Amino acid sequence: MGKAPRIAMIGCGNMGGAIAQRWLDTAIVPQSGLCACTSRPASAAEVTRRLGIEAGTNLAEAVADVDVVVLGFKPQGRVEILAQLRNVLGDRKPLVVSLLAGVELAELRGVLGPRVARWMPNTPVLTGAGVVGQCAPGLSEADVTTLAGLAAPLGLRVDVAERDFNALTAVAGCGPAYVFLFCEALASAGTSAGLDRDVAQQLARQVAVGAGLLLASAPEQPAELRERVTSKGGMTEAALQQLRRQGWGIAMHSAVAAAVERGQQLAAPPRNAK
């Protein structure tokens, strides 16, 4: 990627913080080259404590002389913040990376100019095993190279058309929560079956970790791996048959559809937008 870009995080909550931490851990960006702007002094102080970077509430100071601006605030408040950002940037047009769920490039570029890309990461980016969905049509080769360098330490980068962004978000962005909920349910079921609560939680956690590592290393598709551990007439088969009777697959389809619908709702301009 060459010289490390100077980056401003506008909003630095769970997702922005995970990305920033990974960049710092892998030395993609030094602490001196990363700053954050939050809405409240208390949250800015927490960012400084957690990441060791300069953070404050002054937007103009945060974006002064930076090469990349990352938008990581809640999308519902975007109209006012984007207008403020446009005003403080003036004629300067740094590369902007938007993490705002459901907010389309047309709206973002209409305010901030053409150098805007959309990212949808998931929280495992903190470990380097995340997913970064990217939509960045029309950018220069230099900007594409910069994005590739910033995404590389985070995990798998997948380029998708914007029309598919909500679907990608519903699968990859929301996906870790589905796995965590599965682990909660599995541990609870283990406790109900007689296991000690702590033991059940350890088992559920390790099942997810082990299955994930196997998925990452095995050439087979998930269906093939499932078949491999499902003996005819065995305990696993009995369990899977019950999950199917309870509508396991239908529930997952409904969950993804609900997430896509919410993404479409978020894309609508806020009611107080002028």
Side-chain angles (χ1 to χ4, degrees), residues 1-7 27-30 33 65 67-68 145-146 149-150:
M1 188 170 61
K3 182 181 177 182
R6 295 162 297 176
I7 302 174
I28 290 294
V29 182
D65 299 322
D67 304 299
V68 179
T145 299
T146 296
L150 292 175

Side-chain angles (χ1 to χ4, degrees), residues 107-274:
E107 178 180 348
L108 295 166
R109 291 179 173 181
V111 179
L112 300 176
R115 294 186 70 195
V116 182
R118 286 185 68 184
W119 269 12
M120 180 45 62
N122 61 11
T123 50
V125 296
L126 180 61
T127 69
V131 173
V132 178
Q134 177 174 286
C135 180
L139 295 185
S140 68
E141 184 176 346
D143 284 344
V144 170
T145 299
T146 296
L147 289 171
L150 292 175
L154 305 179
L156 173 68
R157 193 195 77 215
V158 180
D159 290 285
V160 298
E162 190 164 37
R163 64 177 179 274
D164 297 324
F165 224 68
N166 284 335
L168 178 142
T169 303
V171 173
C174 306
Y178 309 153
V179 177
F180 301 148
L181 181 60
F182 161 80
C183 289
E184 288 181 63
L186 184 59
S188 177
T191 302
S192 296
L195 290 172
D196 176 82
R197 182 172 177 269
D198 289 341
V199 170
Q201 290 180 340
Q202 290 176 36
L203 292 175
R205 182 186 295 261
Q206 192 59 32
V207 163
V209 171
L213 290 173
L214 186 56
L215 277 168
S217 61
E220 294 88 354
Q221 294 297 315
E224 296 175 89
L225 295 174
R226 172 182 52 76
E227 290 171 357
R228 184 185 296 175
V229 299
T230 307
S231 301
K232 186 69 174 177
M235 294 172 66
T236 303
E237 184 180 62
L240 293 179
Q241 286 176 350
Q242 184 63 23
L243 286 173
R244 291 190 180 100
R245 281 194 290 267
Q246 295 293 328
W248 173 276
I250 295 173
M252 184 54 64
H253 279 261
S254 296
V256 170
V260 169
E261 181 179 4
R262 181 56 181 154
Q264 293 167 345
Q265 294 170 350
L266 290 171
R271 292 181 179 179
N272 62 352
K274 295 182 181 179

Side-chain angles (χ1 to χ4, degrees), residues 13-25:
N14 293 334
M15 186 59 70
I19 291 173
Q21 186 66 68
R22 182 64 180 171
W23 283 340
L24 294 171
D25 289 346

Side-chain angles (χ1 to χ4, degrees), residues 35-60:
C35 68
C37 180
T38 69
S39 60
R40 296 178 293 109
S43 59
E46 171 59 20
V47 169
T48 297
R49 184 198 66 78
R50 180 161 39 96
L51 299 176
I53 64 175
E54 183 178 349
T57 59
N58 189 306
L59 186 60

